[in-house]
Amino acid sequence: MRAAGAGPVLVGALFGVMTAAGASGLVYGPSAGLAQDVGVVQSEILTLDPDRLFAGTMAGRRLTAEYEAERDRLIASNRELEAELRAEEQALTDARKDLTPKEFRLRADAFDAKVRSIRLENDGKARELERNREVAPLSVMRMAEATLIQLMRETGGKIILDNRQVLMRSDTIDITDMVVTRLDEAIGDGANIEDEVRGDSQGNAVTGSGDSQTPE
């Protein structure tokens, strides 16, 4: 772990800014050791578009497709359950004339309890689906962390800004396309490392805490 101020630190993915450990050091020129031509722009200040990163990578597209497929399955299941419950409700209504008031009340109460139970279960599935949708971009950002760190080394970067929050910038320091290309080459759709990054994404994403990985 590199001490604060000793070099570039990757923090705060997706929300706000990826920044160096301190405000100092952001206005100085690239260090001499990183000024060599590495095929990418040399700049201490880089920008990244997290939305474009997610939408453009194979991993992001896979997670989006999985979400949409699961959403469609849930919608279809709900429609099927609704039809079954309507039929059951109608059958109970038709049987009312042959039941005593007590028998009908017992059956009606049981039906109501069943409907509530199904609704609670489906609400839970919908919430879980929504959580998965929200955490998907964080998962991709975690997958991209090593690539981002490597690009910071190559460019002499000390800060990566979320370019959705930058009012004025030069497109020459936008590294989004490079990250998309390199991440696709490195992990494909990311399915083989999904379990590895899922816990980190749900807990921290890439945070600004002191245990963030640091480019050497």
Side-chain angles (χ1 to χ4, degrees):
M1 181 66 62
R2 183 169 298 180
V9 178
L10 181 66
V11 297
L14 284 182
F15 301 109
V17 173
M18 297 179 186
T19 180
S24 62
L26 299 184
V27 296
Y28 304 120
S31 60
L34 290 170
Q36 70 273 20
D37 182 10
V38 295
V40 293
V41 65
Q42 295 292 294
S43 174
E44 288 191 347
I45 303 176
L46 310 171
T47 66
L48 178 75
D49 185 335
D51 291 338
R52 188 152 54 89
L53 174 65
F54 181 71
T57 54
M58 293 168 62
R61 291 194 296 272
R62 174 181 61 81
L63 290 170
T64 298
E66 289 177 354
Y67 162 76
E68 292 175 347
E70 185 59 30
R71 179 199 59 194
D72 291 346
R73 282 193 293 270
L74 184 58
I75 291 173
S77 175
N78 286 344
R79 287 174 176 169
E80 183 177 344
L81 283 170
E82 182 181 4
E84 292 174 358
L85 290 173
R86 287 187 181 278
E88 188 172 342
E89 181 182 34
Q90 186 60 51
L92 180 60
T93 300
D94 294 342
R96 183 171 189 172
K97 61 182 181 296
D98 299 321
L99 301 172
T100 67
K102 182 178 180 179
E103 289 173 332
F104 177 77
R105 175 49 52 196
L106 288 173
R107 294 192 184 186
D109 289 346
F111 177 74
D112 287 343
K114 179 179 179 179
V115 171
R116 286 195 297 271
S117 176
I118 290 174
R119 181 179 295 118
L120 286 174
E121 180 180 357
N122 283 349
D123 286 348
K125 291 179 180 178
R127 286 193 297 270
E128 180 65 21
L129 182 64
E130 183 62 17
R131 281 193 294 268
N132 290 340
R133 184 191 67 81
E134 291 175 351
V135 81
L138 302 180
S139 295
V140 172
M141 188 62 71
R142 286 301 275 182
M143 295 175 192
E145 184 173 1
T147 300
L148 292 169
I149 291 171
Q150 181 60 34
L151 275 171
M152 290 181 79
R153 291 193 188 105
E154 294 178 11
T155 62
K158 291 187 176 180
I159 181 171
I160 301 180
L161 301 175
D162 182 333
N163 70 5
R164 298 169 302 184
Q165 300 182 18
V166 177
L167 295 180
M168 298 182 67
R169 63 181 173 83
S170 169
D171 285 335
T172 61
I173 61 173
D174 187 321
I175 62 172
T176 307
D177 290 340
M178 284 187 287
V179 178
V180 169
T181 298
R182 294 193 183 191
L183 189 61
D184 283 351
E185 292 174 350
I187 66 170
D189 68 3
N192 59 326
I193 61 172
E194 185 70 17
D195 291 340
E196 179 181 339
V197 301
R198 183 172 294 160
D200 289 339
S201 298
Q202 291 175 338
N204 298 311
V206 182
T207 68
S209 60
D211 59 356
S212 297
Q213 189 172 357
T214 306
E216 295 296 336

